[in-house]
Amino acid sequence: MADADWLRERIRDVPDFPSPGILFRDLTPLLGDAEAFRFAVNAIADAFEGHRIDKVVGIEARGFILAAPVAYRLDAGFVPVRKSGKLPWRSESEEYALEYGADRLELHADAVAAGEKVLIVDDVIATGGTARATARLVERLGAKVVGLGFLVELTFLAGREKLDGYDVMSLVAYP
Ligand code: AMP
């Protein structure tokens, strides 16, 4: 039976990547397993099936891998949120804090419309800063964030606290 533990067995823990002290959750074994990939995509899509989602927003870069098939499943459009300077057209931009310093995320100004229902998808929620900045971008364009879906949640980093009031779901949680 496919469940959280079954998915977890397909996630590789890589110590000290990309920098010392970080335990990186490498999803490539899970993504490379046809059954696990399909299960993960379907589980995120199923959780928001009844909401008539208009757009699924994926966060660069690993978020794209899950967000695109979730959008397909939900009969919704796919929208990329990208790092600074990558999008070709007029964009909204939002700064967010990193462990050291800050970074910037961008969304095309016409990518979501006022009143549209949006689902945000990323591979991992850690501190929640990336997801919160993405939610702000979507809301600045007048759309509604119906929920946020993640494959992995690093619970000890308390990302959910930054997303208070939102419908947040994850498939595999690490305490
Ligand atoms: P945060 O803004 O702290 O929630 O960071 C979320 C982003 O960082 C996600 O897009 C993840 O791809 C990445 N990330 C953070 N920590 C990890 C980790 N331990 N393993 C894999 N990806 C991570």
Side-chain angles (χ1 to χ4, degrees):
M1 222 314 263
D3 61 11
D5 287 333
W6 181 83
L7 284 178
R8 198 187 314 260
E9 285 166 18
R10 287 156 179 78
I11 297 171
R12 178 163 46 209
D13 297 340
V14 184
D16 300 318
F17 183 88
S19 45
I22 303 290
L23 182 59
F24 191 82
R25 307 297 180 170
D26 173 19
L27 303 182
T28 60
L30 188 157
L31 299 171
D33 179 319
E35 205 183 335
F37 182 43
R38 186 172 55 243
F39 178 84
V41 168
N42 281 330
I44 295 171
D46 288 348
F48 297 97
E49 180 100 68
H51 291 277
R52 301 170 60 89
I53 301 289
D54 298 300
K55 301 275 168 63
V56 178
V57 169
I59 305 175
E60 182 172 3
R62 289 182 295 272
F64 295 168
I65 298 163
L66 295 163
V70 167
Y72 182 85
R73 247 291 317 266
L74 292 176
D75 198 20
F78 168 78
V79 169
V81 157
R82 301 207 62 184
K83 308 276 169 61
S84 183
K86 300 280 187 69
L87 287 172
W89 202 65
R90 189 157 61 80
S91 302
E92 291 287 337
S93 131
E94 177 85 25
E95 199 171 84
Y96 65 107
L98 295 174
E99 201 175 352
Y100 301 104
D103 213 339
R104 197 167 269 285
L105 287 176
E106 295 181 345
L107 172 66
H108 270 156
D110 64 350
V112 297
E116 281 190 324
K117 294 183 181 176
V118 170
L119 170 65
I120 294 171
V121 172
D122 203 0
D123 62 335
V124 175
I125 177 168
T127 65
T130 309
R132 188 174 60 181
T134 301
R136 283 188 179 150
L137 283 172
V138 168
E139 287 166 353
R140 213 187 296 158
L141 294 174
K144 178 172 171 49
V145 177
V146 168
L148 300 99
F150 304 91
L151 209 164
V152 166
E153 177 171 4
L154 306 180
T155 313
F156 61 99
L157 293 173
R160 261 176 207 261
E161 286 174 15
K162 283 209 186 75
L163 298 169
D164 198 26
Y166 291 100
D167 183 0
V168 178
M169 69 86 71
S170 66
L171 299 179
V172 180
Y174 292 90

Coordinates of all heavy atoms in Angstrom, one line a residue, residues 105-168:
L105 N 11.7 36.6 -5.4 CA 10.9 35.7 -6.3 C 10.1 36.6 -7.2 O 9.6 37.7 -6.7 CB 10.0 34.8 -5.5 CG 10.7 33.6 -4.7 CD1 9.7 32.9 -3.9 CD2 11.4 32.7 -5.7
E106 N 9.8 36.1 -8.4 CA 9.0 36.9 -9.3 C 7.9 36.1 -10.0 O 8.0 34.9 -10.1 CB 9.9 37.5 -10.4 CG 10.9 38.5 -9.7 CD 11.8 39.2 -10.7 OE1 11.9 38.7 -11.9 OE2 12.4 40.2 -10.3
L107 N 6.8 36.8 -10.3 CA 5.6 36.2 -11.0 C 5.2 37.2 -12.1 O 5.1 38.4 -11.8 CB 4.5 36.1 -9.9 CG 3.1 35.7 -10.3 CD1 3.1 34.2 -10.8 CD2 2.2 35.8 -9.1
H108 N 4.9 36.7 -13.2 CA 4.4 37.5 -14.3 C 3.1 38.2 -13.9 O 2.2 37.6 -13.3 CB 4.1 36.7 -15.6 CG 5.3 36.6 -16.5 ND1 5.4 35.5 -17.4 CD2 6.4 37.4 -16.7 CE1 6.6 35.7 -18.1 NE2 7.2 36.8 -17.7
A109 N 3.0 39.5 -14.2 CA 1.9 40.3 -13.7 C 0.6 39.8 -14.3 O -0.5 40.1 -13.7 CB 2.1 41.8 -14.1
D110 N 0.6 39.1 -15.4 CA -0.7 38.6 -16.0 C -0.9 37.1 -15.8 O -1.7 36.5 -16.4 CB -0.8 38.9 -17.5 CG 0.3 38.2 -18.3 OD1 1.2 37.6 -17.7 OD2 0.2 38.2 -19.5
A111 N 0.0 36.5 -14.9 CA -0.1 35.0 -14.7 C -1.3 34.5 -14.0 O -1.8 33.4 -14.2 CB 1.2 34.6 -14.0
V112 N -1.8 35.3 -13.1 CA -3.0 35.0 -12.4 C -3.9 36.2 -12.4 O -3.4 37.4 -12.4 CB -2.9 34.5 -10.9 CG1 -2.1 33.2 -10.9 CG2 -2.2 35.6 -10.0
A113 N -5.2 36.1 -12.5 CA -6.1 37.2 -12.6 C -6.9 37.4 -11.2 O -7.0 36.4 -10.4 CB -7.1 37.0 -13.7
A114 N -7.4 38.6 -11.0 CA -8.1 38.8 -9.8 C -9.3 37.9 -9.7 O -10.0 37.6 -10.7 CB -8.6 40.3 -9.8
G115 N -9.4 37.3 -8.5 CA -10.6 36.4 -8.3 C -10.3 34.9 -8.6 O -11.0 34.0 -8.2
E116 N -9.1 34.6 -9.3 CA -8.8 33.2 -9.6 C -8.4 32.5 -8.3 O -7.9 33.0 -7.4 CB -7.7 33.2 -10.6 CG -8.2 33.4 -12.0 CD -7.2 33.1 -13.1 OE1 -6.0 33.3 -12.8 OE2 -7.6 32.6 -14.1
K117 N -8.7 31.2 -8.4 CA -8.4 30.3 -7.2 C -7.0 29.6 -7.6 O -6.9 28.9 -8.6 CB -9.4 29.3 -7.0 CG -10.8 29.8 -6.6 CD -11.7 28.7 -6.3 CE -13.1 29.2 -5.9 NZ -14.0 28.1 -5.8
V118 N -6.1 29.7 -6.6 CA -4.7 29.3 -6.9 C -4.3 28.3 -5.8 O -4.6 28.4 -4.6 CB -3.8 30.5 -6.8 CG1 -2.3 30.1 -6.8 CG2 -4.1 31.4 -8.0
L119 N -3.6 27.2 -6.3 CA -3.0 26.2 -5.5 C -1.5 26.4 -5.6 O -1.0 26.5 -6.8 CB -3.4 24.8 -5.8 CG -2.6 23.7 -5.2 CD1 -2.8 23.6 -3.7 CD2 -3.0 22.3 -5.8
I120 N -0.7 26.5 -4.6 CA 0.8 26.7 -4.6 C 1.4 25.3 -4.3 O 1.0 24.7 -3.3 CB 1.2 27.8 -3.6 CG1 0.7 29.1 -4.0 CG2 2.8 27.8 -3.5 CD1 0.9 30.2 -3.0
V121 N 2.3 24.9 -5.1 CA 3.0 23.6 -4.9 C 4.5 23.7 -4.9 O 5.1 24.4 -5.8 CB 2.5 22.6 -6.0 CG1 3.3 21.3 -6.0 CG2 1.0 22.3 -5.9
D122 N 5.1 23.1 -3.9 CA 6.6 23.0 -3.9 C 7.0 21.6 -3.4 O 6.2 20.9 -2.9 CB 7.2 24.1 -3.0 CG 8.6 24.5 -3.4 OD1 9.2 23.8 -4.4 OD2 9.2 25.3 -2.8
D123 N 8.3 21.3 -3.6 CA 8.7 20.0 -3.2 C 8.8 19.9 -1.7 O 8.4 18.9 -1.1 CB 10.0 19.6 -3.9 CG 11.2 20.5 -3.5 OD1 11.0 21.7 -3.1 OD2 12.4 20.1 -3.6
V124 N 9.4 20.9 -1.1 CA 9.7 20.9 0.4 C 9.3 22.2 1.0 O 9.6 23.2 0.5 CB 11.3 20.7 0.6 CG1 11.6 20.7 2.1 CG2 11.7 19.3 0.0
I125 N 8.7 22.1 2.2 CA 8.5 23.3 3.0 C 9.5 23.2 4.2 O 9.4 22.2 4.9 CB 7.1 23.6 3.5 CG1 7.0 24.8 4.4 CG2 6.4 22.3 4.1 CD1 5.6 25.3 4.7
A126 N 10.4 24.2 4.3 CA 11.3 24.2 5.4 C 10.9 25.3 6.3 O 10.0 25.1 7.1 CB 12.7 24.4 4.8
T127 N 11.5 26.5 6.2 CA 11.1 27.6 7.1 C 9.8 28.3 6.7 O 9.2 29.1 7.4 CB 12.2 28.7 7.2 OG1 12.3 29.3 5.9 CG2 13.5 28.1 7.5
G128 N 9.4 28.0 5.4 CA 8.1 28.5 4.9 C 8.3 29.9 4.3 O 7.3 30.4 3.7
G129 N 9.5 30.5 4.3 CA 9.7 31.8 3.7 C 9.4 31.9 2.2 O 8.8 32.8 1.7
T130 N 9.8 30.8 1.5 CA 9.6 30.8 0.1 C 8.1 30.7 -0.3 O 7.6 31.5 -1.1 CB 10.3 29.6 -0.5 OG1 11.7 29.6 -0.1 CG2 10.3 29.6 -2.0
A131 N 7.4 29.9 0.5 CA 6.0 29.7 0.2 C 5.2 31.0 0.6 O 4.3 31.4 -0.1 CB 5.5 28.5 1.0
R132 N 5.6 31.6 1.7 CA 4.9 32.8 2.1 C 5.1 33.9 1.1 O 4.1 34.6 0.7 CB 5.3 33.3 3.5 CG 4.4 34.4 3.9 CD 4.7 34.8 5.3 NE 6.1 35.3 5.5 CZ 6.6 35.7 6.6 NH1 5.8 35.7 7.7 NH2 7.8 36.1 6.7
A133 N 6.3 34.1 0.6 CA 6.6 35.1 -0.5 C 5.7 34.8 -1.7 O 5.2 35.7 -2.3 CB 8.0 35.1 -0.8
T134 N 5.6 33.6 -2.1 CA 4.8 33.2 -3.2 C 3.3 33.5 -3.0 O 2.7 34.0 -3.9 CB 5.0 31.7 -3.5 OG1 6.4 31.4 -3.8 CG2 4.2 31.2 -4.7
A135 N 2.8 33.2 -1.8 CA 1.4 33.5 -1.5 C 1.2 35.0 -1.6 O 0.2 35.5 -2.2 CB 1.1 33.0 -0.1
R136 N 2.2 35.8 -1.2 CA 2.0 37.3 -1.3 C 2.0 37.8 -2.7 O 1.2 38.7 -3.0 CB 3.2 38.0 -0.5 CG 3.0 37.9 1.0 CD 4.1 38.8 1.6 NE 4.0 38.7 3.0 CZ 5.0 38.8 3.9 NH1 6.2 39.0 3.4 NH2 4.8 38.8 5.2
L137 N 2.8 37.2 -3.5 CA 2.8 37.5 -5.0 C 1.4 37.3 -5.6 O 0.9 38.1 -6.3 CB 3.9 36.8 -5.7 CG 5.3 37.2 -5.6 CD1 6.3 36.2 -6.2 CD2 5.5 38.6 -6.2
V138 N 0.9 36.1 -5.3 CA -0.4 35.7 -5.9 C -1.5 36.7 -5.4 O -2.3 37.1 -6.2 CB -0.7 34.3 -5.5 CG1 -2.2 33.9 -5.8 CG2 0.2 33.3 -6.2
E139 N -1.4 37.0 -4.1 CA -2.5 37.8 -3.5 C -2.4 39.3 -4.0 O -3.4 40.0 -4.2 CB -2.4 37.8 -2.0 CG -2.9 36.4 -1.5 CD -2.6 36.1 -0.1 OE1 -1.8 36.9 0.5 OE2 -3.1 35.1 0.4
R140 N -1.1 39.7 -4.3 CA -1.0 41.1 -4.8 C -1.7 41.3 -6.1 O -2.1 42.4 -6.5 CB 0.5 41.4 -4.9 CG 0.8 42.9 -4.6 CD 2.2 43.2 -4.9 NE 3.2 42.5 -4.0 CZ 4.4 42.4 -4.4 NH1 4.9 42.8 -5.5 NH2 5.3 41.7 -3.5
L141 N -1.8 40.2 -6.9 CA -2.5 40.3 -8.2 C -4.0 40.0 -8.0 O -4.7 39.9 -9.0 CB -1.9 39.2 -9.1 CG -0.5 39.5 -9.6 CD1 0.1 38.4 -10.4 CD2 -0.3 40.8 -10.3
G142 N -4.5 39.9 -6.8 CA -5.9 39.8 -6.5 C -6.5 38.4 -6.5 O -7.7 38.2 -6.4
A143 N -5.6 37.4 -6.7 CA -6.1 36.0 -6.7 C -6.2 35.5 -5.3 O -5.6 36.1 -4.4 CB -5.2 35.2 -7.6
K144 N -6.9 34.3 -5.2 CA -7.0 33.7 -3.8 C -6.2 32.5 -3.7 O -6.3 31.6 -4.6 CB -8.5 33.4 -3.6 CG -8.8 32.7 -2.3 CD -10.2 32.6 -2.0 CE -10.5 31.7 -0.7 NZ -9.7 32.1 0.4
V145 N -5.4 32.4 -2.6 CA -4.6 31.2 -2.4 C -5.5 30.2 -1.7 O -5.8 30.3 -0.5 CB -3.4 31.5 -1.6 CG1 -2.6 30.2 -1.2 CG2 -2.5 32.5 -2.3
V146 N -6.0 29.2 -2.4 CA -6.9 28.2 -1.8 C -6.2 27.2 -0.9 O -6.7 26.7 0.1 CB -7.6 27.4 -3.0 CG1 -8.4 26.2 -2.5 CG2 -8.6 28.4 -3.7
G147 N -4.9 26.9 -1.3 CA -4.1 26.0 -0.4 C -2.7 25.9 -0.9 O -2.3 26.5 -2.0
L148 N -1.9 25.2 -0.1 CA -0.5 25.0 -0.5 C -0.2 23.5 -0.2 O -0.5 22.9 0.8 CB 0.5 25.8 0.4 CG 0.3 27.3 0.3 CD1 -0.6 27.9 1.4 CD2 1.6 28.0 0.2
G149 N 0.4 22.9 -1.2 CA 0.7 21.4 -1.1 C 2.2 21.2 -1.3 O 2.8 21.8 -2.2
F150 N 2.7 20.3 -0.4 CA 4.2 20.0 -0.4 C 4.3 18.5 -0.4 O 3.5 17.8 0.3 CB 4.9 20.6 0.8 CG 4.7 22.1 0.9 CD1 3.6 22.6 1.6 CD2 5.5 22.9 0.2 CE1 3.4 24.0 1.7 CE2 5.4 24.3 0.3 CZ 4.3 24.9 1.0
L151 N 5.4 18.0 -1.0 CA 5.7 16.6 -0.8 C 6.3 16.3 0.6 O 5.9 15.4 1.3 CB 6.6 16.1 -1.9 CG 6.5 14.7 -2.4 CD1 7.2 14.5 -3.7 CD2 7.1 13.7 -1.3
V152 N 7.2 17.2 1.0 CA 7.9 17.0 2.2 C 7.7 18.2 3.1 O 7.8 19.3 2.6 CB 9.4 16.7 2.0 CG1 10.2 16.9 3.2 CG2 9.6 15.3 1.4
E153 N 7.5 18.0 4.4 CA 7.5 19.1 5.4 C 8.5 18.8 6.5 O 8.6 17.8 7.1 CB 6.1 19.1 6.0 CG 6.0 20.2 7.1 CD 4.5 20.3 7.6 OE1 3.6 19.6 7.1 OE2 4.3 21.2 8.4
L154 N 9.4 19.8 6.7 CA 10.4 19.7 7.8 C 9.8 20.4 9.0 O 9.9 21.6 9.2 CB 11.7 20.4 7.3 CG 12.3 19.9 6.0 CD1 13.6 20.6 5.6 CD2 12.5 18.4 6.0
T155 N 9.0 19.6 9.7 CA 8.2 20.2 10.8 C 9.0 21.0 11.8 O 8.5 22.0 12.3 CB 7.5 19.0 11.5 OG1 6.9 18.1 10.5 CG2 6.3 19.5 12.4
F156 N 10.2 20.6 12.1 CA 11.0 21.2 13.2 C 11.3 22.7 12.8 O 11.7 23.5 13.6 CB 12.2 20.4 13.5 CG 13.2 20.3 12.3 CD1 14.3 21.1 12.2 CD2 12.9 19.3 11.3 CE1 15.1 21.0 11.1 CE2 13.8 19.2 10.2 CZ 14.9 20.0 10.1
L157 N 11.2 23.0 11.5 CA 11.5 24.4 11.1 C 10.2 25.3 11.1 O 10.3 26.5 10.8 CB 12.1 24.4 9.7 CG 13.5 23.8 9.7 CD1 14.0 23.7 8.2 CD2 14.5 24.6 10.5
A158 N 9.1 24.7 11.5 CA 7.9 25.4 11.8 C 7.4 26.3 10.6 O 6.9 27.4 10.8 CB 8.0 26.2 13.0
G159 N 7.5 25.8 9.4 CA 7.1 26.6 8.2 C 5.6 26.9 8.3 O 5.2 28.0 7.8
R160 N 4.8 26.0 8.8 CA 3.4 26.3 8.9 C 3.0 27.5 9.7 O 2.0 28.1 9.4 CB 2.7 25.1 9.6 CG 2.1 24.1 8.7 CD 1.5 22.9 9.4 NE 1.6 21.8 8.6 CZ 0.5 21.3 7.9 NH1 -0.6 21.9 8.0 NH2 0.7 20.2 7.1
E161 N 3.8 27.9 10.6 CA 3.5 29.1 11.4 C 3.6 30.3 10.6 O 2.9 31.3 10.9 CB 4.5 29.2 12.6 CG 4.2 28.2 13.7 CD 5.3 28.2 14.8 OE1 6.1 29.2 14.9 OE2 5.3 27.2 15.6
K162 N 4.4 30.3 9.5 CA 4.4 31.5 8.6 C 3.2 31.5 7.7 O 3.0 32.4 7.0 CB 5.7 31.4 7.8 CG 6.9 31.9 8.5 CD 7.9 32.5 7.5 CE 9.3 32.8 8.1 NZ 10.1 31.6 8.4
L163 N 2.5 30.3 7.6 CA 1.4 30.2 6.7 C 0.1 30.1 7.5 O -0.9 29.4 7.0 CB 1.6 29.0 5.8 CG 2.9 29.1 4.9 CD1 3.2 27.7 4.3 CD2 2.7 30.2 3.9
D164 N 0.0 30.7 8.6 CA -1.2 30.7 9.5 C -2.4 31.2 8.7 O -2.3 32.2 8.0 CB -0.9 31.6 10.7 CG -1.9 31.3 11.8 OD1 -2.3 30.1 11.9 OD2 -2.2 32.2 12.6
G165 N -3.5 30.4 8.8 CA -4.7 30.8 8.1 C -4.9 30.2 6.7 O -5.9 30.3 6.1
Y166 N -3.8 29.6 6.2 CA -3.9 28.9 4.9 C -4.1 27.4 5.1 O -3.7 26.8 6.1 CB -2.6 29.1 4.1 CG -2.3 30.5 3.6 CD1 -1.4 31.3 4.3 CD2 -2.9 31.0 2.5 CE1 -1.2 32.6 3.9 CE2 -2.6 32.3 2.0 CZ -1.8 33.1 2.8 OH -1.5 34.4 2.3
D167 N -4.7 26.8 4.1 CA -4.8 25.3 4.0 C -3.5 24.7 3.5 O -3.3 24.8 2.3 CB -6.0 25.0 3.1 CG -6.4 23.5 3.1 OD1 -5.7 22.7 3.8 OD2 -7.3 23.1 2.4
V168 N -2.8 24.1 4.4 CA -1.4 23.6 4.1 C -1.5 22.1 4.2 O -1.9 21.5 5.2 CB -0.3 24.1 5.1 CG1 1.0 23.5 4.7 CG2 -0.3 25.6 5.0

